[in-house]
Amino acid sequence: MSIPAYHRLATSLRERILAGEFRPGDRLPVEPELSAGYGVSRSTVREALRLLASQNLIATLRGVSGGSFVVAPRPEQIGDYLHTSFNLLAADTRITVDQLLEIRALLEVPAAGLAALRRSQDDLDELRAALFDPATLPLEEMHEPNKRFHTLLLRSSGNPVLEVVAQPVFQVLDERFLRERAPDRFWHEVDRDHREILARVEAGDEKGASEAAGAHLEHLRSTYQAIDRAS
């Protein structure tokens, strides 16, 4: 099947953007210039620009000073895309629970170590505020502080890329395999593990924080696997 001309043009422009030829804030060549340069019609150019806009690579502005401008991606856009993609793959069983947990371990274990080295007092205060008591908190209210603790731990690493990449994996595991289905003892283990991770981070113990995060993920594994088998 032949690739439509507008798609080939969009691919070429995307490659030029990713190569740095056009940087965020730069205006792309105007329609007549693109049409002549690529030997395509102006309607093909417009379709290509619409495709790039749908991929959040450019924004088109009207008016005398308008045009198509390269935009910088926002972290939440990347996270939303990864979340949707991982969820669809997990639903289609092309990504397993074990594979998702492996990704979490590769990202969150070193992130905990970095958090121990880089956390601020504000980070510690927020992490402490995200702790919860499973003995008093209703089950349906435990997911948000659990999610918040992990988000804050990633943020405390000082590397925003870790948060962008790891958070969607956490969300898929929580939404697809955990929500409303984990036994009570699971949440007591989560609470104990979170407190141990926080203690290591607060002490500035890089190795201990990483080990505590790794142990936490191992504790989660059997629950996720049991829920996956039952679903």
Side-chain angles (χ1 to χ4, degrees), residues 120-135:
S120 66
Q121 186 58 50
D122 285 344
D123 291 329
L124 293 174
D125 291 342
E126 289 187 291
L127 282 165
R128 195 172 294 108
L131 296 174
F132 59 92
D133 183 359

Side-chain angles (χ1 to χ4, degrees), residues 61-76:
L61 305 178
R62 305 297 179 188
V64 177
S65 59
S68 295
F69 295 85
V70 178
V71 296
R74 299 194 305 275
E76 60 269 23

Side-chain angles (χ1 to χ4, degrees), residues 59-220:
T60 300
L61 305 178
R62 305 297 179 188
V64 177
S65 59
S68 295
F69 295 85
V70 178
V71 296
R74 299 194 305 275
E76 60 269 23
Q77 290 176 327
I78 300 171
D80 288 346
Y81 175 80
L82 289 174
H83 175 224
T84 300
S85 299
F86 287 148
N87 229 327
L88 290 172
L89 288 170
D92 197 32
T93 67
R94 281 182 283 178
I95 291 183
T96 66
V97 169
D98 282 336
Q99 289 168 337
L100 288 168
L101 286 171
E102 283 178 5
I103 296 171
R104 280 192 67 179
L106 288 169
L107 296 170
E108 293 188 43
V109 170
L114 289 174
L117 298 176
R118 299 174 177 175
R119 85 292 183 277
S120 66
Q121 186 58 50
D122 285 344
D123 291 329
L124 293 174
D125 291 342
E126 289 187 291
L127 282 165
R128 195 172 294 108
L131 296 174
F132 59 92
D133 183 359
T136 59
L137 196 66
L139 175 62
E140 63 272 12
E141 296 181 20
M142 293 183 192
H143 295 274
E144 281 307 311
N146 179 45
K147 175 183 174 181
R148 180 159 177 75
F149 182 89
H150 284 275
T151 298
L152 291 168
L153 185 64
L154 290 164
R155 194 169 299 164
S156 299
S157 73
N159 186 332
V161 178
L162 279 171
E163 182 181 351
V164 168
V165 177
Q167 190 61 29
V169 180
F170 174 88
Q171 287 179 269
V172 171
L173 283 166
D174 182 64
E175 294 165 359
R176 186 161 293 280
F177 301 107
L178 182 60
R179 189 171 291 275
E180 312 299 340
R181 291 188 284 179
D184 288 344
R185 62 174 174 75
F186 170 85
W187 292 109
H188 286 276
E189 290 177 354
V190 167
D191 174 55
R192 181 195 64 211
D193 289 349
H194 283 187
R195 292 177 188 277
E196 177 62 20
I197 292 169
L198 176 56
R200 297 300 97 215
V201 169
E202 187 168 18
D205 181 359
E206 178 185 8
K207 183 172 183 291
S210 292
E211 289 176 347
H216 175 53
L217 292 176
E218 279 304 309
H219 294 157
L220 302 182

